Amino acid sequence: MEQNGGKTHAMRAVIELRKRILGGELPGGTRLFEVPLAEELQISRTPVREAMSRLTEEGLLERARNGGFVVRTFSFADVVDAIELRGVLEGTAARLAAERGAKPEALARIRGIVARLDECFGELPGEVDFEAYAERNAEFHHELAALSGSDIVRREVERVTKLPFASPSAFLPNKGDIVAFRRSLNTAQEQHRAIVSAIAEHEGTRAEMVAREHARAARRNLEYVMLEDRSLISRVPGLALVVN
């Protein structure tokens, strides 16, 4: 129970910090420290540390040289470019995996992840366990980069996912009242299956195109929120912009 409580506190800290960053309450350059944040959020330092580490992986924070974290400065164009670059690199990873032939054990691992992602969906359309999906989705994309068989490609994919909002898991499990976002995860899961299928069938072009389209879906959701309906940012605490 204590472990689950810590996990819940860490997720609450992630939601709250992301909300403040997206809302402008914590502008670029703001220094963040564990102790005052833990006191402010009334939780222990450990979940705060975990939350800031996660937001660092997503590109919203960066570690300061002399301790603590700093909110990164980025523009809308930066976010779009970061998502586009992830799509290009993951598309390359998928194509190489298909052309070079992924190892059977590696294919088995990523198929297992897809199966576990299936378990995140309920019987009703849009019924999703967002927290579990986020974790397993991150596993899928990590495994996809490794399937390329190229350490260079894998490292570059890992590097680009640290750019603002480029992380495939840069979204929150708190979008229950936005039907479009919930249902978009079903489409994303279909793309996961299609990518793995193309790799297994040695269809390099198809694997690359589906992987790139997978990232473009994230860009479309971002553009919708930022350009067409910015009210979504305030309606949903800590709204995330990437849903695949």
Side-chain angles (χ1 to χ4, degrees):
M1 292 293 293
E2 185 174 336
Q3 183 177 0
N4 291 337
K7 187 175 182 180
T8 300
H9 287 157
M11 180 56 66
R12 181 163 65 86
V14 167
I15 291 172
E16 180 60 27
L17 289 175
R18 194 189 279 112
K19 172 186 174 183
R20 296 183 185 186
I21 293 170
L22 293 179
E25 186 178 341
L26 295 174
T30 302
R31 292 285 300 275
L32 300 177
F33 297 95
E34 293 176 14
V35 175
L37 274 175
E39 293 176 352
E40 184 178 349
L41 297 176
Q42 297 183 336
I43 57 179
S44 67
R45 293 175 58 183
T46 298
V48 169
R49 186 184 309 116
E50 292 176 358
M52 289 198 290
S53 294
R54 174 168 173 174
L55 292 177
T56 299
E57 293 173 358
E58 295 178 7
L60 293 182
L61 301 178
E62 57 187 354
R63 296 182 186 275
R65 292 182 178 179
N66 55 348
F69 295 79
V70 178
V71 178
R72 295 187 64 175
T73 300
F74 55 90
S75 66
F76 174 77
D78 292 333
V79 176
V80 169
D81 290 347
I83 293 172
E84 183 69 20
L85 185 55
R86 174 168 70 85
V88 170
L89 289 172
E90 287 192 330
T92 299
R95 177 174 55 80
L96 290 177
E99 292 176 350
R100 296 175 177 178
K103 295 180 179 179
E105 57 270 26
L107 274 175
R109 281 196 303 271
I110 200 166
R111 281 173 170 152
I113 294 170
V114 172
R116 291 193 293 276
L117 277 164
D118 281 333
E119 297 171 357
C120 299
F121 294 88
E123 296 181 359
L124 300 177
E127 185 179 348
V128 187
D129 181 341
F130 288 107
E131 184 172 339
Y133 184 94
E135 294 179 1
R136 293 165 188 174
N137 184 58
E139 293 174 5
F140 176 91
H141 285 268
H142 176 78
E143 194 66 35
L144 175 61
L147 276 179
S148 68
S150 168
D151 287 338
I152 292 177
V153 171
R154 178 185 55 78
R155 285 196 301 268
E156 291 308 308
V157 171
E158 290 176 355
R159 190 194 306 273
V160 75
T161 57
K162 291 179 172 58
L163 296 174
F165 288 106
S167 167
S169 293
F171 63 90
L172 294 182
N174 193 21
K175 301 179 190 161
D177 61 337
I178 301 181
V179 176
F181 280 111
R182 294 204 313 268
R183 290 181 176 172
S184 70
L185 294 185
N186 291 93
T187 301
Q189 177 64 349
E190 291 175 3
Q191 290 172 333
H192 289 151
R193 295 192 198 97
I195 292 169
V196 174
S197 173
I199 290 173
E201 297 297 324
H202 303 286
E203 297 176 347
T205 300
R206 183 164 72 96
E208 181 173 18
M209 290 302 99
V210 176
R212 294 188 66 167
E213 182 61 26
H214 192 53
R216 290 192 186 103
R219 174 174 172 169
R220 286 194 295 271
N221 287 327
L222 165 69
E223 291 173 339
Y224 177 79
V225 170
M226 298 301 290
L227 302 179
E228 297 187 37
D229 191 357
R230 293 182 64 87
S231 67
L232 293 178
I233 295 177
S234 60
R235 279 182 51 211
V236 182
L239 174 65
L241 305 179
V242 180
V243 296
N244 71 347

